Amino acid sequence: MTAMDSRTISLADGRTLRAYDSQIQDAVLTIVWHHGSPQTGAILEPLLAAAADRGIRMLSFGRANYGGSSELRDRDVASVAADVAALADTFGVDRFAVSGASGGGPHALACAALLGERVTGVATFASLAPFGADIDWFGGMAADGQSLRAAVEGRTARERYEETAEFDPTSFNDLDYAALAESWADLGRDVGASEAWGTVGVIDDDLAFVKPWGFDVASIGCPALVAHGGDDSVVPVSHGEWLARAITDAELWLRPRAGHIAILDTVSVAMDWLLRNAR
């Protein structure tokens, strides 16, 4: 298993972040990874291995109320950018790429939009589009997007939904289940480990996704890669297609048979893309 350092870092507002560093020396690039909803924030083994093979340093962290990081009540998606700036400063990194999967995608995009020249490029996997995007936002979601629909009604409704929420097995396709059994088994373990910190983090994520994000994706000035599975029932492909249209310098990677998890098999080639396209 690839080595990973973890530590708790202090923020200017008194909060703390649980942070992770792959400790690659003389890295050709640093990537800050944004985890999905829910996870702990630890860097998953497939990410560590792919990055090490390329001389890339990986940084990651638990968003507010995930994996031991402090709470940030009523946060929006944009608020993560200040946390990432502090994270990079703590680890002595000036410029870096950002990447994120599923619920981490919008947060990676926030950093690309708000941290200016510090961000060399962004890659997302199965990312949501902003709630105001001109698409059928819930169309094609498994279970009709019930958790996000509850979030639209507010915190109380989303908390009430969580009390009886159950996983819908139709959320994933055969390729997804194969990935969870093999190449991305560490993802399933990490989701399970995240239960130790409760459900506030994932509830806060959903609430943030369905209100204004606090930035315009059209303001992203660095190269962007949008990877999406054509058979994704958690975040339908229309979200990725919209992002690729809305971001000025964006490239869409569409894998027609991939679902929400199997799209992660593009992570290693996406790292190559971030290396080639660093601004």
Side-chain angles (χ1 to χ4, degrees):
M1 182 173 289
T2 312
M4 176 174 58
D5 174 54
S6 63
R7 69 178 78 172
T8 298
I9 65 174
S10 299
L11 301 174
D13 63 3
R15 292 183 297 119
T16 59
L17 290 182
R18 189 64 179 167
Y20 301 86
D21 177 14
S22 68
Q23 305 180 93
I24 297 295
Q25 302 299 314
D26 300 319
V28 295
L29 176 70
T30 296
I31 298 176
V32 177
W33 178 259
H34 295 258
H35 65 81
S37 313
Q39 287 179 244
T40 67
I43 310 170
L44 302 179
E45 182 60 28
L47 295 170
L48 287 169
D53 286 346
R54 291 160 174 79
I56 293 173
R57 182 183 187 183
M58 295 292 295
L59 299 179
S60 186
F61 65 104
R63 283 191 296 281
N65 251 320
Y66 279 114
S69 294
S70 299
E71 179 180 14
L72 180 59
R73 195 73 167 180
D74 298 323
R75 58 181 166 90
D76 61 8
V77 175
S79 65
V80 78
D83 290 354
V84 167
L87 171 82
D89 290 345
T90 297
F91 285 103
V93 176
D94 181 30
R95 304 189 73 220
F96 47 89
V98 290
S99 191
S102 189
H107 295 92
L109 294 171
C111 295
L114 298 172
L115 295 182
E117 293 297 321
R118 295 196 72 172
V119 176
T120 64
V122 56
T124 65
F125 308 86
S127 176
L128 288 162
F131 189 57
D134 55 346
I135 56 174
D136 180 3
W137 203 81
F138 294 104
M141 287 187 182
D144 198 32
Q146 290 179 19
S147 67
L148 290 163
R149 288 186 186 275
V152 172
E153 298 177 24
R155 178 174 295 277
T156 299
R158 181 60 183 84
E159 290 174 341
R160 187 181 304 117
Y161 172 82
E162 193 65 27
E163 293 173 359
T164 58
E166 294 183 0
F167 174 70
D168 180 353
T170 67
S171 299
F172 299 154
N173 68 12
D174 290 345
L175 291 179
D176 291 332
Y177 284 112
L180 284 170
E182 299 172 8
S183 55
W184 290 92
D186 198 34
L187 172 58
R189 287 189 289 267
D190 191 68
V191 169
S194 72
E195 295 175 1
W197 288 276
T199 60
V200 177
V202 71
I203 290 171
D204 284 351
D205 269 356
D206 278 1
L207 292 168
F209 296 147
V210 299
K211 68 182 182 182
W213 284 8
F215 66 97
D216 184 350
V217 297
S219 69
I220 293 172
C222 64
L225 173 62
V226 178
H228 219 106
D231 197 30
D232 191 334
S233 296
V234 178
V235 181
V237 67
S238 57
H239 288 248
E241 291 171 335
W242 185 92
L243 287 170
R245 293 193 301 269
I247 299 169
T248 302
D249 186 9
E251 183 174 330
L252 175 64
W253 283 5
L254 177 60
R255 299 297 171 96
R257 296 176 58 238
H260 196 66
I261 305 300
I263 193 62
L264 291 173
D265 286 336
T266 64
V267 159
S268 58
V269 286
M271 290 180 182
D272 295 333
W273 188 94
L274 287 169
L275 280 168
R276 291 194 308 270
N277 290 277
R279 180 187 57 187

